Amino acid sequence: MPIITGQTQLLGVIGDPIHHSLSPVMHNAALAAMGLDYVYVPFHVKPEHLSEALTGFAAIAMQGFNITIPHKQAIMPLLAGITPLAASVGAVNTVWRDNQGQWQGTNTDVEGFVAPLLKFERDWATQKILILGMGGAARAVVAGCAQLGIQSICVVGRDPEKLRLFQQSWLHSPLPVSLDVAQWTHLTEQIATADLVVNTTPLGMYPQCDSSPLSEIEVARIQPTAIAYDLIYTPRPTRFLQQAQTQGAATLDGLEMLLYQGAAALQQWVGQPVPLDKMRQALTDHLAQNR
Ligand code: NAP
């Protein structure tokens, strides 16, 4: 347990619900390893109390905080500024105080998504990515693909109107995004040519561990050279990743994304490199103990 004194600085995460958050586990492990006098606390904030929570955080000189569901969009108009990246994604997951004490926000989910992919030596400009689902996380994935220079992006969803709106929302983005959309019924054709398949739906997440976004027919079309990336981190591996492995594909789960988005946020707050290994270890230990 950290020793909390009158000097201890406060960081945290807000969400509704918040009890499931793994962020305190990795951040407090990192802060202890760095010997910094900070503590990171989860706060259950309901949507109707978001504005009051921000005022309260300013009053108690909180240094910064993460934002999770359902506040990632709603917080944006309450901040003094947001980065162009967060504006493109349309969501903020990290807030800090600037020199004037004003709240600034950014989106580190994009870096979290991209960082684990960098270990693969690929010519990203020539790769085709297939994104399953089009919610908040899919927006960070699209922005990450643009950062990687991926030029062929296809987003698959089940609601044609939502697909149309999703595609339209990127038309005036400052990011170089060009994307196609397709309905779920066209997944079989799309998957056969994909170099990277990303599951951004909750299908397969604990406790629905037997679910997968892909049918057996679709699985059989995954290329053995493809990378299958699931943003879910419980269970490890998900059914989708097990299926992809049987096709010979490389796999990545969501724990590394969680880790890297957290590391980018912590670096923003404390202004120094953070111990990734300690954070990863804290997460894997916690998941092993709470299986
Ligand atoms: P979200 O905004 O609710 O979006 C979920 C998307 O999945 C929507 O497009 C939804 O489609 C689609 N979907 C849900 N059930 C489906 C089904 N049965 N068939 C087809 N599509 C379905 O959620 P999110 O914030 O993007 O999060 C998505 C997942 O990513 C969650 O599992 C979350 O835990 C994970 N995530 C992980 C990280 C990380 O750091 N590893 C970060 C963020 C999110 P409709 O719009 O048609 O309902």
Side-chain angles (χ1 to χ4, degrees):
M1 279 291 287
I3 298 167
I4 295 171
T5 70
Q7 318 270 315
T8 304
Q9 310 262 32
L10 186 59
L11 297 170
V13 56
I14 60 169
D16 176 29
I18 198 61
H19 64 271
H20 65 285
S21 175
L22 296 181
S23 294
V25 170
M26 68 173 157
H27 285 299
N28 286 316
L31 292 164
M34 287 189 281
L36 295 177
D37 191 7
Y38 280 81
V39 64
Y40 182 104
V41 181
F43 294 99
H44 185 187
V45 175
K46 291 196 169 290
E48 60 270 28
H49 296 140
L50 183 60
S51 175
E52 278 170 275
L54 222 67
T55 309
F57 286 167
I60 59 171
M62 181 137 168
Q63 295 303 303
F65 57 97
N66 286 129
I67 300 98
T68 187
I69 291 171
H71 305 311
K72 287 185 180 187
Q73 287 86 30
I75 197 145
M76 293 170 70
L78 304 176
L79 304 173
I82 60 170
T83 59
L85 180 64
S88 294
V89 175
V92 161
N93 79 329
T94 300
V95 166
W96 71 94
R97 296 160 74 92
D98 65 15
N99 295 338
Q100 280 82 47
Q102 305 273 307
W103 297 122
Q104 300 289 334
T106 192
N107 189 307
T108 67
D109 282 335
V110 180
E111 184 172 339
F113 168 72
V114 170
L117 285 170
L118 299 179
K119 71 177 183 191
F120 295 95
E121 287 185 9
R122 301 265 168 135
D123 176 9
W124 291 108
T126 64
Q127 302 284 287
K128 177 178 169 186
I129 178 172
L130 187 62
I131 302 173
L132 311 177
M134 49 176 171
R139 299 195 67 81
V141 171
V142 169
C145 290
Q147 284 190 347
L148 283 168
I150 293 175
Q151 284 162 25
S152 175
I153 303 173
C154 181
V155 178
V156 178
R158 56 184 173 176
D159 180 331
E161 180 57 10
K162 280 191 190 168
L163 275 173
R164 192 184 66 76
L165 292 174
F166 188 93
Q167 187 174 33
Q168 214 174 37
S169 71
W170 292 96
L171 287 180
H172 303 293
S173 167
L175 294 172
V177 174
S178 143
L179 59 85
D180 292 324
V181 292
Q183 286 191 48
W184 215 268
T185 42
H186 294 286
L187 190 50
T188 318
E189 302 110 76
Q190 293 292 340
I191 211 157
T193 53
D195 300 296
L196 172 61
V197 184
V198 184
N199 177 33
T200 77
T201 77
L203 291 167
M205 187 162 68
Y206 179 86
Q208 264 82 47
C209 303
D210 291 335
S211 304
S212 164
L214 300 186
S215 67
E216 289 307 323
I217 294 170
E218 289 151 0
V219 169
R221 307 293 295 272
I222 296 178
Q223 303 188 82
T225 52
I227 303 167
Y229 193 163
D230 201 332
L231 301 197
I232 294 170
Y233 46 80
T234 42
R236 307 186 75 198
T238 57
R239 179 148 169 69
F240 164 56
L241 294 185
Q242 289 174 31
Q243 291 170 319
Q245 270 163 1
T246 63
Q247 296 302 115
T251 57
L252 268 179
D253 72 14
L255 202 69
E256 288 292 291
M257 175 171 171
L258 179 75
L259 171 70
Y260 280 101
Q261 64 76 29
L266 189 55
Q267 196 156 337
Q268 172 66 49
W269 296 320
V270 302
Q272 56 178 277
V274 301
L276 271 173
D277 289 348
K278 294 273 193 254
M279 296 171 81
R280 184 183 288 111
Q281 192 64 51
L283 287 171
T284 49
D285 288 353
H286 180 86
L287 287 173
Q289 283 159 17
N290 294 279
R291 205 170 281 185

